[in-house]
Amino acid sequence: RPGMVAPVAGVPILKLGLLAVRQIAKPIATRAKATAKESAVFRSIVVWIGRGLHRTSIQVTRLAEGKVSLEYITPLSETAAVDRGAEFVSELVIYVVAASTTIYEFARAQQDKKSREKEAELEEQKRKEEALANERRQ
């Protein structure tokens, strides 16, 4: 069928490609984590993220325990904030790639489904026209 990806040993090439993209995301996330610790600009962003996650975590924990939220929370040290923020960025890369490939696969499946439905509809219309032509001949 037109628009279909050629299967190799029963496995579509596209699915293998998306699996490769997901696998590549892990080393990219690891590299992003290392870059966050080395780059001054990226480091300041990651520190901000790490400290924000720390504040949010403390407040949510306190609220879950039925305690009042705090006005001031002692910020994490820069090293701890970098570690926490870099870990978050690393996980974010992995989840974004996984979500993107899943959404792409879903959209492609929907497109294929619509294509098959349209093809079936055209076949049905063709069958009806042939049946009508046969009736006219008789």
Side-chain angles (χ1 to χ4, degrees), residues 115-127:
S115 177
R116 285 190 304 273
E117 288 173 354
K118 182 136 181 120
E119 191 176 298
E121 187 178 295
L122 290 173
E123 286 293 322
E124 180 65 20
Q125 185 179 359
K126 184 178 178 182
R127 189 192 61 74

Side-chain angles (χ1 to χ4, degrees), residues 48-102:
W48 180 79
I49 291 170
R51 287 180 175 161
L53 288 171
H54 173 69
R55 280 190 307 276
T56 303
S57 174
I58 297 246
Q59 295 293 24
V60 167
T61 302
R62 289 185 61 80
L63 291 173
E65 293 172 349
K67 299 176 183 175
V68 294
S69 61
L70 299 172
E71 289 291 320
Y72 178 78
I73 296 172
T74 306
L76 284 176
S77 69
E78 186 171 331
T79 305
V82 166
D83 288 342
R84 191 161 193 175
E87 186 66 32
F88 177 80
V89 168
S90 173
E91 294 296 322
L92 184 65
V93 167
I94 292 170
Y95 287 121
V96 165
V97 169
S100 298
T101 57
T102 302

Side-chain angles (χ1 to χ4, degrees), residues 31-52 76-87 89:
R31 183 65 194 137
K33 189 175 179 179
T35 302
K37 294 178 179 182
E38 297 166 3
S39 165
V41 174
F42 200 24
R43 184 180 179 94
S44 66
I45 293 168
V46 170
V47 166
W48 180 79
I49 291 170
R51 287 180 175 161
L76 284 176
S77 69
E78 186 171 331
T79 305
V82 166
D83 288 342
R84 191 161 193 175
E87 186 66 32
V89 168

Side-chain angles (χ1 to χ4, degrees), residues 102-112:
T102 302
I103 290 167
Y104 178 79
E105 286 175 341
F106 178 77
R108 181 138 174 100
Q110 291 296 94
Q111 184 181 17
D112 287 347

